[in-house]
């Protein structure tokens, strides 16, 4: 199998944590900048997004949610998603986290538009507010309660570290101090250390 990824992508990092946690061998990790539109990535994912997992039969899986669910079910005895399948409120927690990832990444894109003079104050504020409201809601959901690592916790660590990395001035700790305390402990796990972006 081949995983197209970049070190900085928070979506790809979640997938890499799954691979590391389940000790899945035989995955070649290929660094890909999605904006290069490399023919290999375009063949595997017409959306030209990472992460993308190419299976040994040549077919490809995307997006990060599908890849995580595939790896967990086929290679990890559902150890991270557990019994979430028919738990609709937990599925919604998953959607909330995915939405916050999207806000954080969109906020980054707004930052990059600054150089072109195209940054929108409206969208910047909208993404920031969604991110902060979303994290406040996450704090109330009990995602951090399980002592065993869960898929939702993997996403939460990758998300919060990405926010610290790309949006260091965003005052998320002021609105969600309990998440901040939880992160300090959770981010010490080997799977997060092994997959942390090196820049
Ligand atoms: N929903 C997708 C997932 O969960 O995998 C989002 C993936 C995504 O947006 N990845 C970014 C990307 O490839 C990198 S962090 N961006 C290129 C683009 O948007 O064209």
């Amino acid at each position: 199998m081949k995983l197209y990824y970049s070190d900085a992508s928070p979506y790809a990092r979640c997938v890499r944590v799954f691979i590391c946690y389940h000790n899945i061998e035989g995955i070649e990790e290929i660094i890909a900048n999605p904006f290069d539109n490399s023919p290999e990535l375009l063949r595997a994912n017409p959306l030209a997004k990472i992460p993308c997992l190419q299976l040994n039969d040549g077919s490809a899986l995307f997006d990060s949610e599908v890849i995580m669910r595939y790896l967990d079910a086929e290679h990890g005895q559902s150890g991270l998603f557990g019994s979430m399948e028919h738990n609709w409120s937990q599925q919604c927690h998953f959607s909330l986290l995915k939405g916050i990832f999207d806000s954080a990444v969109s906020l980054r894109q707004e930052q990059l538009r600054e150089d072109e003079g195209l940054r929108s104050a409206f969208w910047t504020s909208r993404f920031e507010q969604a991110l902060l409201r979303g994290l406040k809601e996450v704090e109330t959901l009990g995602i951090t309660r399980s002592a065993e690592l869960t898929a939702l916790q993997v996403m939460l660590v990758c998300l919060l570290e990405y926010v610290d990395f790309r949006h260091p001035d965003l005052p998320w700790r002021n609105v969600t101090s309990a998440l901040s305390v939880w992160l300090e402990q959770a981010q010490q796990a080997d799977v997060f250390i092994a997959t942390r972006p090196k820049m």
Side-chain angles (χ1 to χ4, degrees), residues 73-89:
E74 301 292 331
H75 296 274
Q77 298 173 318
S78 300
L80 286 167
F81 278 98
S83 56
M84 244 178 91
E85 199 179 342
H86 292 110
N87 185 327
W88 304 116
S89 68

Side-chain angles (χ1 to χ4, degrees), residues 1-185:
M1 291 187 277
K2 288 180 185 171
L3 176 72
Y4 296 94
Y5 83 105
S6 88
D7 224 19
S9 166
Y11 306 100
R13 184 162 178 222
C14 291
V15 168
R16 294 175 66 237
V17 170
F18 272 61
I19 293 170
C20 190
Y21 183 83
H22 289 315
N23 284 315
I24 305 170
E25 290 179 351
I27 299 185
E28 184 189 353
E29 293 195 333
I30 299 175
I31 292 185
N33 178 344
F35 299 106
D36 286 347
N37 286 330
S38 82
E40 293 80 12
L41 178 61
L42 289 184
R43 260 195 304 277
N45 181 355
L47 303 173
K49 291 192 182 212
I50 52 163
C52 175
L53 182 69
Q54 193 151 44
L55 304 183
N56 290 334
D57 67 3
S59 63
L61 299 180
F62 51 89
D63 57 9
S64 58
E65 175 175 354
V66 174
I67 303 172
M68 285 189 281
R69 289 184 189 274
Y70 166 80
L71 293 174
D72 201 43
E74 301 292 331
H75 296 274
Q77 298 173 318
S78 300
L80 286 167
F81 278 98
S83 56
M84 244 178 91
E85 199 179 342
H86 292 110
N87 185 327
W88 304 116
S89 68
Q90 278 196 21
Q91 296 287 355
C92 192
H93 300 171
F94 191 92
S95 305
L96 176 63
L97 285 172
K98 273 190 82 172
I100 306 173
F101 269 84
D102 293 344
S103 298
V105 170
S106 300
L107 192 55
R108 169 73 182 154
Q109 284 166 357
E110 281 303 319
Q111 282 172 349
L112 295 175
R113 286 193 187 109
E114 183 109 54
D115 299 340
E116 303 165 54
L118 293 174
R119 185 170 187 169
S120 156
F122 171 81
W123 285 109
T124 297
S125 160
R126 191 159 173 87
F127 293 136
E128 275 178 5
Q129 294 311 311
L131 207 160
L132 293 173
R133 273 196 313 269
L135 288 180
K136 184 81 199 140
E137 177 69 13
V138 165
E139 198 172 48
T140 66
L141 299 177
I143 289 172
T144 57
R145 242 176 256 143
S146 159
E148 286 287 301
L149 191 66
T150 65
L152 296 174
Q153 291 182 354
V154 169
M155 292 174 75
L156 189 51
V157 172
C158 295
L159 170 66
L160 294 173
E161 287 198 0
Y162 177 79
V163 172
D164 278 342
F165 170 50
R166 289 300 193 199
H167 310 297
D169 297 332
L170 199 77
W172 68 269
R173 284 182 171 80
N174 295 350
V175 276
T176 60
S177 57
L179 281 188
S180 166
V181 171
W182 174 80
L183 178 66
E184 267 178 45
Q185 182 67 37

